[in-house]
């Protein structure tokens, strides 16, 4: 951990402790606990308070709108509400938000994963009219950032660049020859512009309220430990195509990482709750094809960036997503350019 990271963690822990610990009482609190520490978010808990420092390049106006969304009465029972709005006076130059502690999904108990509850929350979110103007959902932009992160991570590795007369040998902008990377890039190029964050999502229904980064790590029980499930992490929320929020479970299912029974539970619960992202019956894949492809590419790109940074080969799960990108690149292009919802 760098000196800057250590400082941010310390400052967040101090802030959370100050808010969770009664003033002028003896302190018997446990030390602050780091829940996450990544460039896009550092999360520290003290007692029942969680403090999050968002990315340094966060659009603060958009973040304020997203945090206000989590606090909106229309989203009660769907989104975990913040304790405060972003604090400009927080002890870090990064924007900070404060949240009540929730109990996360237990990663050691896959059989208890709340797929039905996640689907119900998503359907209710998607059916809710945006209570005020919101920025676009950041899912496609996040996918683009993942591909850029992969490219940047691989510029310093030992992969030999191709012989391209338009690129000087050794040029850091030259694409690598590694088959895995080429598969991810080919899958990325097969996506329509909106799924790469280069254009608005097309068609009716593309202005629904979306989470933008749905996975099981985005659910907590509140009050902990047995309260109802709620969605957390509003960094990517906004208006867009609701099918994006189903894209990651769909991608996992297509790659063989999500059991068919879990996928059926998720999809059936979403439909039962009136979710608008897919038809009420019949084949859901015409709506899910593009988001599932995009989330496959995003996951594989992040995996390859991590592998480069950690100087290791992809694990079995990562390899499945990379192989899925190779299959995506061979599919007829009209499947990727058709309407997503």
């Amino acid at each position: 951990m760098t000196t800057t990271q250590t400082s941010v963690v310390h400052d967040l822990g101090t802030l959370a402790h100050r808010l969770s610990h009664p003033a002028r009482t003896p302190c018997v609190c446990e030390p602050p606990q780091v829940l996450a520490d990544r460039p896009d978010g550092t999360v520290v808990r003290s007692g029942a308070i969680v403090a999050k420092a968002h990315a340094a390049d966060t659009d603060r106006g958009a973040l304020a709108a997203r945090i206000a969304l989590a606090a909106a009465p229309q989203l009660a029972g769907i989104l975990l509400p913040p304790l405060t709005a972003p604090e400009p006076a927080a002890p870090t130059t990064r924007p900070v938000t404060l949240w009540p502690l929730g109990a996360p999904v237990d990663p050691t108990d896959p059989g208890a994963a709340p797929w039905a509850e996640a689907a119900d929350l998503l359907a209710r979110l998607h059916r809710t009219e945006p209570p005020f103007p919101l920025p676009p959902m950041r899912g496609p932009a996040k996918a683009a950032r993942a591909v850029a992160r992969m490219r940047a991570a691989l510029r310093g590795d030992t992969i030999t660049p191709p012989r391209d007369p338009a690129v000087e040998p050794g040029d850091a902008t030259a694409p690598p020859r590694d088959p895995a990377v080429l598969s991810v890039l080919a899958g990325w190029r097969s996506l329509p512009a909106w799924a790469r964050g280069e254009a608005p999502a097309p068609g009716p229904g593309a202005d629904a309220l979306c989470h933008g980064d749905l996975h099981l790590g985005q659910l907590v029980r509140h009050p902990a430990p047995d309260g109802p499930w709620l969605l957390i992490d509003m960094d990517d929320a906004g208006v867009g195509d609701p099918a994006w929020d189903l894209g990651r479970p769909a991608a996992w299912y297509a790659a063989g990482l999500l059991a068919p029974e879990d996928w059926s539970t998720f999809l059936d619960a979403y439909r039962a709750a009136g979710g608008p992202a897919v038809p009420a019956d019949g084949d859901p894949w015409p709506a899910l094809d593009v988001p599932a492809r995009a989330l496959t590419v995003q996951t594989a790109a992040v995996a390859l960036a991590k592998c480069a940074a950690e100087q290791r080969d992809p694990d079995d799960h990562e390899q499945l997503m990379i192989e899925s990108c190779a299959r995506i690149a061979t599919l007829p292009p009209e499947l990727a350019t058709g309407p997503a919802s």
Side-chain angles (χ1 to χ4, degrees):
M1 187 180 296
T2 66
T3 301
T4 300
Q5 288 173 303
T6 301
S7 175
V8 169
V9 167
H10 174 270
D11 291 345
L12 290 177
T14 299
L15 175 62
H17 179 261
R18 188 173 75 237
L19 295 173
S20 66
H21 184 73
R24 294 183 294 278
T25 60
C27 181
V28 293
C29 301
E30 296 181 359
Q33 177 186 3
V34 180
L35 303 181
D37 187 20
R38 303 182 301 270
D40 62 340
T42 301
V43 184
V44 179
R45 167 205 172 182
S46 181
I49 304 294
V50 174
K52 178 174 182 177
H54 300 260
D57 62 352
T58 295
D59 181 326
R60 293 180 183 239
L63 176 62
R66 291 173 170 127
I67 302 308
L69 177 68
Q74 297 92 324
L75 280 303
I78 301 174
L79 305 179
L80 181 72
L83 294 177
T84 69
E87 274 200 9
T92 172
T93 58
R94 292 160 60 181
V96 171
T97 54
L98 301 167
W99 305 87
L101 178 69
V105 175
D106 184 354
T108 67
D109 189 6
W115 286 113
E117 293 86 346
D120 180 76
L121 288 169
L122 276 186
R124 291 164 57 195
L125 177 69
H126 295 164
R127 293 192 341 250
T128 302
E129 287 291 325
F132 40 76
L134 288 164
M137 175 265 295
R138 290 185 65 249
K142 193 161 189 172
R145 179 171 288 195
V147 173
R149 174 183 170 188
M150 177 190 71
R151 289 178 181 272
L154 291 166
R155 284 172 187 161
D157 68 11
T158 58
I159 297 174
T160 304
R163 295 188 179 276
D164 184 338
V167 180
E168 291 294 326
D171 188 335
T173 63
R177 295 178 64 185
D178 182 274
V181 180
L182 293 177
S183 294
V184 173
L185 293 176
W188 181 245
R189 287 192 294 268
S190 77
L191 296 171
W194 79 264
R196 299 195 303 265
E198 299 168 2
D207 56 355
L209 197 52
C210 302
H211 181 275
D213 188 29
L214 188 279
H215 53 81
L216 290 182
Q218 307 289 36
L219 285 90
V220 297
R221 286 187 179 275
H222 180 74
D226 300 315
W229 290 104
L230 298 171
L231 293 169
I232 63 170
D233 191 355
M234 292 292 97
D235 289 42
D236 301 304
V239 293
D241 186 340
W244 192 276
D245 285 341
L246 282 67
R248 185 178 270 109
W252 290 346
Y253 168 65
L257 293 176
L258 182 63
E261 55 270 26
D262 288 334
W263 169 247
S264 294
T265 295
F266 177 79
L267 183 61
D268 291 349
Y270 183 82
R271 284 172 154 168
V278 295
D281 52 35
D283 185 5
W285 283 99
L288 299 180
D289 176 63
V290 169
R293 294 187 190 206
L295 269 300
T296 298
V297 171
Q298 175 181 321
T299 303
V302 170
L304 286 174
K306 289 181 177 179
C307 289
E310 298 166 8
Q311 298 186 341
R312 62 173 176 82
D313 293 328
D315 63 27
D316 290 344
H317 287 184
E318 292 167 338
Q319 189 61 41
L320 281 173
M321 300 307 288
I322 294 166
E323 291 171 359
S324 293
C325 290
R327 291 194 295 273
I328 287 171
T330 65
L331 293 174
E334 61 267 20
L335 288 181
T337 57
S341 61

